[in-house]
Amino acid sequence: MKCTYACNSAEHTMARRQFLGGVLGGAVGVVGGLGALAQPSFAEQLKKEQKRVLVFNMAGGLSQLESWDPKPGTDTGGPFRAIPTSVPGTHISELLPKTAEQMHHLAVIRSINTRQGDHGKGSYEMFHGRRQTPGMVYPNIGAVMAKALGSDKRSLPGHVVVSNSTGGRGNNAAYLGPQFASISVGSGQPPNNSARPDGLEEKADLLRNDFRRQVNDQFTARRRTAKTDIYTQNYEQAISLMNQRDVFDISKEPQAVQDRYGDSEFGKHCLMARRLLENGVTFVQVSHSNYDTHNENFNFHLEQLGEVDAPFSTIVADLHERGLLESTLIVMLSEFGRTPNINKYYGRDHWGNAWSVCLGGAGIQPGAVIGKTNDNGTAVADREVDHGHLFHTYLRAVGLDNKGSFNVGGKPIPMADPAYDCIEELII
Amino acid sequence: MTFFDETSEAVKTEPTQVYISQQWKYEPSPLINCGFDPSGNYVFGTARDFALVRFSLADGAQKVYKGHESWSRGMAFTHDGQHIITGGCDDKIIWWNVNDEAEAPAPVRTVEAHKGWVRALAISPDGTLLASGGNDNMVRIWNVSDGALVREMSGHVKDVYSVFFHPSGEFLMSGDLAGQVKQWETATGNEVRNFDSKDLHTYNGGQKVDYGGVRSITMSPDNNMIAFSGLYKATNPLGAVNEPLITLFDWEKGEKVKSLVMDNVKGILWRAEFHREGYILGASGGSGGGVLGFWKPEEEKAFHQLKMPDTAVEMDLHPDGVQVATVHYDRHLRISRLEKKPEEPAKEG
């Protein structure tokens, strides 16, 4: 078995200089009015009206039996017990005790059958809501949300992946354009190369940019194209990002807050995610690795979910306390679940036939449990759903028309696979 | 764990002639741990259906004990042979009657022992104390007679995987996931020193997992060497790509003197035990299947290996020094004998 999907894999790791280059080369923003985002009244309004999405990618395949759908005391249940949650009658694994206290803000879908046991395909389907089709490339959920929720009208990039990489731009926006592709940030520090060079004084920098704008205006007055607009907007967004680089610096948080998120990499990433969301970033993805536990599934879930439980429950509580949860969709997903059967190495293998996703926040019925599996979790027993249903549900949860389309060169392309629909009973 | 029978005339073993003499299947579930009771009449196994199963060595008859709410890994016996004590992933330590003939044997005593799994148990040489190690990184000592907590020791920074009393009773050893083995003074709980057996631990930065650990601890008959078992060469922890390993330390100096390995075997050395004749035997299980291995402390490679029908997950040595119990994923408990297999009588006709 070769594990190439950990979040430190090559696709997530790019050279330092690529980050700012990515910002300059991709984002579409609005030139005017950037300073308004710093005004408190505007920020409050933003909080109420802007919808955001926070996705946790549990890379490798989180076990549903060790998280959202425990089956203790059965032949597939393993050693962990189920514990009650803040939602009467709903139990989750004892590996998530702090999350259990936040379940009244969250919901669980226990009846996912994607029929997919391949890492790459499973990840594609969960992030795109479609099966991979030869000759057709679709944008992933981050790009779709960034575009559909109007992130190009805001000062910070709309699609951010928080990882342990040093920066870089993903190739995941397809026909929506590179300005909606993901930008990777991590390590709890501002992005590399986002500070004004030491040798360049502020006044000189302002003059330099004024001069660039003047020349640019002269050029675009006669030869304006979509490409020149992107060029201009990217520069302005980069300047805006540089002016807000503290947003990425979690050391600006009070020590007590940092302590609540903990010292782990995942804890720091969660804290950065919260800062990004509350400062207007539309879509944030945080990954945690690795759950591909063909061997010693229980020891490894003990370790991995031990890292996840406190930071995850803290960000849910924090978003709620700050009034942001009702406008922020949270999704914790994987490419698939893990086999109910426990193999001879105390492991669980790939399993797409009966597994779970946790979600909550914007538009989602708090405390809901959708669907169920049979007694030992080997099959969906009620309300079977696929990745396509999930994708439609995410769109509806943030107030979008899940049957709507993007206009791509005059041709409408559905935002979500039209073969599926939303899980209506999960939507408020 | 083994109680050698000091009263009987010791039989000289022939480990290179080892063979599987008996096997019994526990139909409901794969097995997890095993241990011979001091009388040598029974061998107990724990199973994934939370059961403790007593197998009669005479005929393989099974008696099922239920009480844990999870799997149990820790196992120890009181010296009087009356009780077996199990430690579970339900955080509990339970005392049971070895000779319970009730239809549904009930626990004699239950103690909430750790916040997290109880991974290992050991009885002190004088039989009065029980040591436990768990996922709360704690080591605790209990009174065998009443289950009262005597003292607890902190200092491990990872899950405690194994506990072992020095034959003098003066010291308690505990090994953890990080390959660290602490020597505690039994009477005070003070940490005496630390054996760094880091070869038994891997942190895989790509997969972001800790893996390995001190799965068992054993001491040479002359008390000059202490050995720790587990795994190394963990190139893919999530995929069970690793090899069994014993690290052998000089007791006085506290220094590692040798690594003992198996030939072309992928797996975890779940348990290793010094035989009273001075060699070490151990059971490996993993992607390379089940293998019994035998080492001379002075030689790196095993001098004999027995491939078993299925992956092994635990092992114990009978008080007679001849019989070895192993438990397996295929739900079997197997008895191997460290002697030449008797010739079958020639068939008539």
Side-chain angles (χ1 to χ4, degrees), chain A residues 1 6 79 265 295 299 303 344, chain B residues 70 119 208 210-211 236-237:
Chain A
M1 187 200 68
E265 183 180 88
N295 178 46
N299 281 338
E303 179 179 18
K344 58 174 61 181
Chain B
S70 184
R119 286 195 185 252
K208 299 187 178 178
D210 284 287
Y211 185 43
N236 183 354

Side-chain angles (χ1 to χ4, degrees), chain A residues 214-278:
Chain A
Q214 185 182 342
V215 173
N216 199 47
D217 288 347
Q218 289 174 4
F219 182 83
T220 55
R222 289 177 287 113
R223 303 178 65 177
R224 181 179 178 185
T225 66
K227 288 183 179 177
T228 61
D229 280 355
I230 289 174
Y231 176 85
T232 301
Q233 291 160 358
N234 288 343
Y235 259 98
E236 297 302 334
Q237 189 178 60
I239 292 168
S240 175
L241 186 151
M242 292 169 73
N243 291 335
Q244 299 179 75
R245 63 193 301 273
D246 281 358
V247 168
F248 299 87
D249 187 353
I250 63 170
S251 70
K252 303 296 182 188
E253 290 283 332
Q255 189 59 48
V257 174
Q258 294 184 51
D259 291 345
R260 283 198 293 121
Y261 280 84
D263 200 34
S264 70
E265 183 180 88
F266 182 73
K268 291 175 179 175
H269 288 176
C270 285
L271 181 51
M272 179 182 278
R274 199 212 70 202
R275 287 175 65 81
L276 295 175
L277 291 166
E278 66 188 353

